[in-house]
Amino acid sequence: MKSFEYVITDPVGIHARPAGILVKEIKKYASTVTVTKGEKSVNALKLMALMGMGIKQGDTVKVTVDGADEDTAFAAIEEFFKANF
């Protein structure tokens, strides 16, 4: 299991379009990806749950990657967050 914390820099936070692209990125891997904000955690494949977290600019999220291909998935998802959120 690997995880990283990321402070959201996008002025709109995690909204529909980039969240949908994130789900597509995660589907490429066998690993389970969980996004946590405060006490709330969701499976990042669940688009509506992810958007329902209300993640805004300045919020810190923890992203956890766990599974057979976690090293590859971790690197790709961390890059995705830096490029899109």
Side-chain angles (χ1 to χ4, degrees), residues 4 6 22 39 42 44 51 54-55 58-59 63 66 72 82 85:
F4 65 91
Y6 185 78
L22 174 62
E39 298 296 314
V42 299
M51 290 173 43
I55 300 170
D59 288 347
V63 180
D66 186 27
T72 307
K82 289 177 183 174
F85 298 123

Side-chain angles (χ1 to χ4, degrees), residues 19-33 43-48 65 69 73 76-77 80:
I21 298 169
L22 174 62
V23 169
K24 285 182 185 176
E25 180 67 26
I26 293 169
K27 283 183 178 180
K28 296 177 186 176
Y29 306 99
S31 295
T32 300
V33 179
N43 180 330
L45 283 176
K46 308 286 184 191
L47 179 63
M48 296 309 288
V65 182
D69 59 355
I77 293 164
F80 181 89

Side-chain angles (χ1 to χ4, degrees), residues 4-26:
F4 65 91
E5 287 193 352
Y6 185 78
V7 177
I8 302 300
T9 57
D10 188 292
V12 192
I14 294 184
H15 55 97
R17 189 174 60 249
I21 298 169
L22 174 62
V23 169
K24 285 182 185 176
E25 180 67 26
I26 293 169

